[in-house]
Amino acid sequence: MKKYIYFIIILLITIPNSFSQKQIVNKEDGPTYIPLKIYRSIYKKEITKEDLNKLKINGNDTLILVHGLIKKGNKIGVKRRVISERRTYMTLKSFKQHYKRPLTKVDSLSFKFNNNDTLVLVKDYKPRGVSVPYEKVDSTLLEIYKDVVYRKYHSKKSDKRKEYMVLWTEPIKLYFSESVDKEYEQVIRNLSMKISNEIDSLNISFVSNLEESNYVIYQIDENHSHKYSKNMSANKYINFHSYWNKGKIYDTKLEINTTTFKNAEVNKKYLMKSFIRSLGHFYTTSKVPCESVFSNCNGKKITFGETDLKLLKYHYSYGICKRTPLETFEDNHEKAKQTFSQTGRPLYFIHVD
């Protein structure tokens, strides 16, 4: 699985403030003496040996000669200079992947060290895609998310295989087979409209032609037996199978098999549960109430609740690094917290697609 490249972007903008004083030492534009205290607040630097030759004592004030002052009525001000410096640091590994060139001595002089990472300064970097700051999330929701996506808290050793974040990166174009009962179809349509309205980066639309679709829902019953996926050959109820590459889902088949279970109201609830889980290949967890679509218990009441929506929103948020394994996901969160703690600035993620 290809790890997503992330960068620390720091923008430093320094605008020296204008100042005023009631008595003007030199009323003409050009070289002017100003109080040393004001000089330091404007220029943000220490006095040098050369500056000592520019000092002048006036009563209790120490004055220093400066150039570039302008007269404004009975006030003087420094001509404003805006210094905009864009500094982009990326990890040494990301630098080598992005630039495909050996590091120079000049590169090494700009190295910074953040825990176990070596960061390289990249001047005038113009990243492709969208740069989005790290998104903070409630710690309880974050741990639920880790179990739903990565099965972090699943107890069985057989469940500890390495999982990756999987999601749709293209709009979902959903096709209903003519075999699907209208009441089941309406459940999916209602859910899809709600999700599309709530989550900008997850768009679901409906198509009338199978060839235009990338998500097919079909039904198996006494009158219909055609299966749209060989991976569903053993399905006896409601299930789905998704196809993905490098964490990007590109096709899904969802089967409603009513040959054994004919209670439409119960079927609609489990249909909703399967459909939501197929939007990211999510797993069930014991960390949510039994009625949640992500719950691992088989309760009679199943709803797509507030916590379920938050989990889905977070999965499709641009404020996290995409398609990563658990260790990278947790490491990015730790880096983001430390970056903000140490610099007061957020860690940014660059989303190329």
Side-chain angles (χ1 to χ4, degrees):
M1 175 64 64
K2 182 180 178 181
K3 293 185 180 179
Y4 222 78
I5 299 174
Y6 60 92
F7 311 96
I8 300 174
I9 299 176
I10 302 175
L11 298 180
L12 298 177
I13 300 177
T14 305
I15 305 177
N17 296 322
S18 64
F19 66 93
S20 65
Q21 62 183 45
K22 292 181 179 179
Q23 293 183 351
I24 303 173
V25 178
N26 185 352
K27 294 185 179 182
E28 300 298 326
D29 294 347
T32 305
Y33 281 94
I34 63 172
L36 188 59
K37 183 178 180 180
I38 295 177
Y39 174 88
R40 284 173 171 161
S41 69
I42 295 172
Y43 291 97
K44 309 293 184 184
K45 67 178 183 178
E46 295 299 321
I47 301 299
T48 65
K49 290 183 178 180
E50 184 180 347
D51 292 328
L52 293 176
N53 297 323
K54 303 176 184 178
L55 295 182
K56 179 179 177 181
I57 307 299
N58 183 16
N60 294 325
D61 286 334
T62 300
L63 307 177
I64 185 170
L65 182 66
V66 297
H67 297 266
L69 294 184
I70 56 175
K71 184 172 65 175
K72 295 182 179 180
N74 67 339
K75 296 181 180 181
I76 61 173
V78 175
K79 290 180 179 178
R80 290 201 169 199
R81 297 178 301 156
V82 179
I83 303 172
S84 180
E85 181 183 359
R86 183 183 180 92
R87 292 184 180 179
T88 303
Y89 283 90
M90 66 172 65
T91 63
L92 188 58
K93 182 178 179 181
S94 297
F95 180 91
K96 291 178 179 178
Q97 291 174 344
H98 187 82
Y99 287 96
K100 307 293 183 183
R101 68 169 175 82
L103 289 164
T104 66
K105 183 178 180 180
V106 175
D107 292 325
S108 65
L109 294 175
S110 66
F111 281 175
K112 279 191 176 184
F113 302 96
N114 184 25
N115 294 325
N116 295 324
D117 283 337
T118 300
L119 304 179
V120 185
L121 176 64
V122 183
K123 296 181 179 179
D124 299 322
Y125 175 76
K126 295 181 180 180
R128 293 182 295 123
V130 181
S131 174
V132 181
Y134 159 77
E135 179 182 343
K136 293 182 180 179
V137 65
D138 175 77
S139 58
T140 300
L141 187 74
L142 185 61
E143 296 309 308
I144 296 173
Y145 179 80
K146 291 176 187 178
D147 206 31
V148 166
V149 174
Y150 299 111
R151 305 195 302 176
K152 180 177 180 178
Y153 297 103
H154 280 54
S155 58
K156 294 181 181 179
K157 290 184 178 180
S158 60
D159 287 341
K160 293 300 182 181
R161 66 176 181 268
K162 196 169 188 177
E163 299 288 349
Y164 291 86
M165 185 191 301
V166 177
L167 69 164
W168 289 86
T169 58
E170 298 293 330
I172 297 174
K173 298 178 181 179
L174 204 156
Y175 172 78
F176 291 101
S177 166
E178 61 180 13
S179 62
V180 178
D181 289 344
K182 293 301 179 184
E183 56 186 329
Y184 297 147
E185 179 178 332
Q186 195 59 48
V187 169
I188 301 302
R189 286 186 178 274
N190 291 343
L191 262 179
S192 299
M193 290 175 63
K194 178 178 177 62
I195 290 166
S196 291
N197 289 335
E198 294 281 352
I199 306 174
D200 293 338
S201 54
L202 180 55
N203 182 265
I204 306 172
S205 61
F206 307 100
V207 295
S208 56
N209 296 318
L210 177 64
E211 293 76 16
E212 298 175 6
S213 70
N214 55 13
Y215 194 125
V216 177
I217 297 179
Y218 64 97
Q219 186 170 319
I220 300 297
D221 54 30
E222 289 81 0
N223 301 315
H224 306 93
S225 59
H226 177 66
K227 290 178 178 284
Y228 285 77
S229 172
K230 62 181 180 180
N231 296 100
M232 303 298 292
S233 59
N235 178 50
K236 299 298 182 183
Y237 189 33
I238 298 174
N239 206 348
F240 65 91
H241 184 85
S242 293
Y243 303 84
W244 65 80
N245 181 39
K246 295 182 178 180
K248 300 178 183 180
I249 304 174
Y250 60 87
D251 186 79
T252 295
K253 302 294 189 292
L254 189 153
E255 180 180 293
I256 308 167
N257 191 323
T258 63
T259 56
T260 302
F261 301 96
K262 303 182 184 298
N263 188 316
E265 292 306 310
V266 175
N267 291 348
K268 284 190 283 188
K269 293 174 183 177
Y270 282 95
L271 171 60
M272 175 175 60
K273 190 167 187 172
S274 290
F275 179 69
I276 295 297
R277 288 181 55 208
S278 75
L279 299 180
H281 201 75
F282 300 112
Y283 295 94
T284 57
T285 177
S286 61
K287 290 184 169 293
V288 292
C290 199
E291 61 268 20
S292 166
V293 294
F294 294 114
S295 174
N296 60 7
C297 72
N298 296 317
K300 293 182 178 180
K301 183 180 180 181
I302 299 175
T303 61
F304 180 58
E306 183 179 352
T307 298
D308 303 325
L309 178 59
K310 285 181 179 179
L311 288 167
L312 197 57
K313 275 186 175 181
Y314 186 65
H315 190 67
Y316 282 90
S317 164
Y318 283 105
I320 57 176
C321 199
K322 301 296 188 183
R323 308 193 300 276
T324 61
L326 176 61
E327 56 267 30
T328 303
F329 179 81
E330 291 186 319
D331 187 51
N332 284 340
H333 278 265
E334 190 60 33
K335 289 182 190 301
K337 292 176 184 177
Q338 291 177 356
T339 298
F340 187 81
S341 174
Q342 294 170 4
T343 69
R345 298 180 177 89
L347 182 73
Y348 277 76
F349 296 111
I350 308 298
H351 297 276
V352 178
D353 55 8

